[in-house]
């Protein structure tokens, strides 16, 4: 059983090491060079945009979309989770490969895995439930930015990013036109003034909620399996080199 547990742990954590690297790369792109991912959104609007007739500005390039709080927050979360997943998987990899000298790492790994599962379930529920405190806080922050920073004639990244989002997603503000108060909002199409941009995002989540939930469930089960195998390997008195 010890040899089987060791092989499975090494195999699973090799996969998690790769996943961690992917998350680190994607998170880094969203934080530092978001245009690499968001360029299609930008180009879609840019091709049909005429500033002289539109009367509002959009970003000079897709990288400016990274100043939108939502995109940057997602990038930071993915980057942090990727680093943590890589570090913990490497910990288990070392513990499984070197059970004679790093056996205690298996217990530490098992504890961290259980904590990870709890955190992932809580965050996953908050993200997938439309009226969760996570979404309420995100919307509140974005609405505050509209009140303080948005100007449809402005050339700052936030104002131009909102103009771009209005045009690409056929929406207006966060929950609708009321978010702008008395401010001009020429980038909002009159037909879409009651359609909030945040609801568009949640529509995308709702359309893929089954896949997201299944992915989260599989991830949590794999991590619990790893914790079980780590403890089993630790308790096996006949553990030795493969």
């Amino acid at each position: 059983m010890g040899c089987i547990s060791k092989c499975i742990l090494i195999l699973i954590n090799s996969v998690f090491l790769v996943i961690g690297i992917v998350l680190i790369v994607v998170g880094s792109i969203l934080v530092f060079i978001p245009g690499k991912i968001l360029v299609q959104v930008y180009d879609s609007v840019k091709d049909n945009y005429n500033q002289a007739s539109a009367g509002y500005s959009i970003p000079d390039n897709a990288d400016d979309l990274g100043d939108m709080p939502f995109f940057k927050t997602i990038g930071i979360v993915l980057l942090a989770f990727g680093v943590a997943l890589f570090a913990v998987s490497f910990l288990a990899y070392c513990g499984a490969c070197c059970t004679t000298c790093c056996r205690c790492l298996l217990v530490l790994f098992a504890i961290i895995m259980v904590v990870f599962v709890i955190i992932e379930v809580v965050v996953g529920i908050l993200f997938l439930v439309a009226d969760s405190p996570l979404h309420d806080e995100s919307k509140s922050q974005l609405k505050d930015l509209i009140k303080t920073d948005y100007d449809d004639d402005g050339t700052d990244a936030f104002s131009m990013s909102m103009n771009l989002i209005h045009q690409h997603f056929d929406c207006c503000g966060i929950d609708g036109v009321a978010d702008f108060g008395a401010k001009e909002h020429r980038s909002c199409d009159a037909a879409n003034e009651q359609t909030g941009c945040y609801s568009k995002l949640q529509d995308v989540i709702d359309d893929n909620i089954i896949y997201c939930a299944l992915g989260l469930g599989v991830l949590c089960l794999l991590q619990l399996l790893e914790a079980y195998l780590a403890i089993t390997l630790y308790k096996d008195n006949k553990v030795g080199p493969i």
Side-chain angles (χ1 to χ4, degrees), residues 120-133:
E120 287 163 5
V121 169
V122 172
V123 173
I125 291 174
L126 289 175
F127 185 76
L128 295 176
V129 175
D131 57 352
S132 71

Side-chain angles (χ1 to χ4, degrees), residues 6-38:
K6 179 183 290 190
C7 291
I8 294 175
L9 268 179
I10 292 174
L11 177 62
I12 294 176
N13 281 287
S14 296
V15 174
F16 278 142
L17 283 171
V18 174
I19 294 174
I21 292 173
V22 171
L23 291 177
I24 290 172
V25 171
V26 174
S28 298
I29 290 174
L30 277 174
V31 173
F32 301 109
I33 46 173
K36 297 297 182 182
I37 292 179
L38 304 172

Side-chain angles (χ1 to χ4, degrees), residues 108-161:
L108 178 61
F109 168 75
I111 294 172
I112 294 175
M113 278 294 99
V114 173
V115 173
F116 262 32
V117 169
I118 295 172
I119 293 174
E120 287 163 5
V121 169
V122 172
V123 173
I125 291 174
L126 289 175
F127 185 76
L128 295 176
V129 175
D131 57 352
S132 71
L134 177 65
H135 289 300
D136 290 342
E137 180 61 24
S138 296
K139 288 196 288 186
S140 177
Q141 290 181 8
L142 289 168
K143 287 182 180 182
D144 288 341
L145 282 174
I146 288 178
K147 293 176 183 176
T148 58
D149 295 356
Y150 179 77
D151 179 356
D152 65 352
D153 291 325
T155 56
D156 61 284
F158 176 75
S159 297
M160 293 191 296
S161 296

Side-chain angles (χ1 to χ4, degrees), residues 23-38 61-68 71-80 83:
L23 291 177
I24 290 172
V25 171
V26 174
S28 298
I29 290 174
L30 277 174
V31 173
F32 301 109
I33 46 173
K36 297 297 182 182
I37 292 179
L38 304 172
N61 57 72
D63 283 330
D64 289 336
L65 290 172
D67 289 326
M68 288 291 290
F71 294 132
K72 184 161 287 188
T73 299
I74 289 179
I76 292 172
V77 169
L78 289 179
L79 180 58
V83 170

Side-chain angles (χ1 to χ4, degrees), residues 140-240:
S140 177
Q141 290 181 8
L142 289 168
K143 287 182 180 182
D144 288 341
L145 282 174
I146 288 178
K147 293 176 183 176
T148 58
D149 295 356
Y150 179 77
D151 179 356
D152 65 352
D153 291 325
T155 56
D156 61 284
F158 176 75
S159 297
M160 293 191 296
S161 296
M162 285 301 300
N163 292 336
L164 188 72
I165 290 170
H166 290 160
Q167 289 298 300
H168 181 75
F169 293 103
D170 296 323
C171 58
C172 187
I174 307 306
D175 281 329
V177 67
D179 296 334
F180 294 96
K183 286 187 173 183
E184 292 285 346
H185 47 276
R186 290 189 292 273
S187 58
C188 289
D189 190 297
N192 303 314
E193 286 190 340
Q194 301 307 318
T195 302
C197 295
Y198 208 92
S199 65
K200 288 280 189 173
L201 165 67
Q202 291 181 316
D203 287 343
V204 174
I205 295 174
D206 290 342
D207 290 342
N208 297 278
I209 193 168
I210 294 178
Y211 303 107
C212 293
L214 284 175
L216 179 63
V218 169
L219 177 62
C220 290
L221 286 175
L222 277 176
Q223 290 173 324
L224 289 175
L225 174 62
E226 284 195 289
Y228 170 76
L229 292 174
I231 294 299
T232 300
L233 190 56
Y234 176 82
K235 293 170 66 175
D236 194 324
N237 295 323
K238 296 181 181 181
V239 172

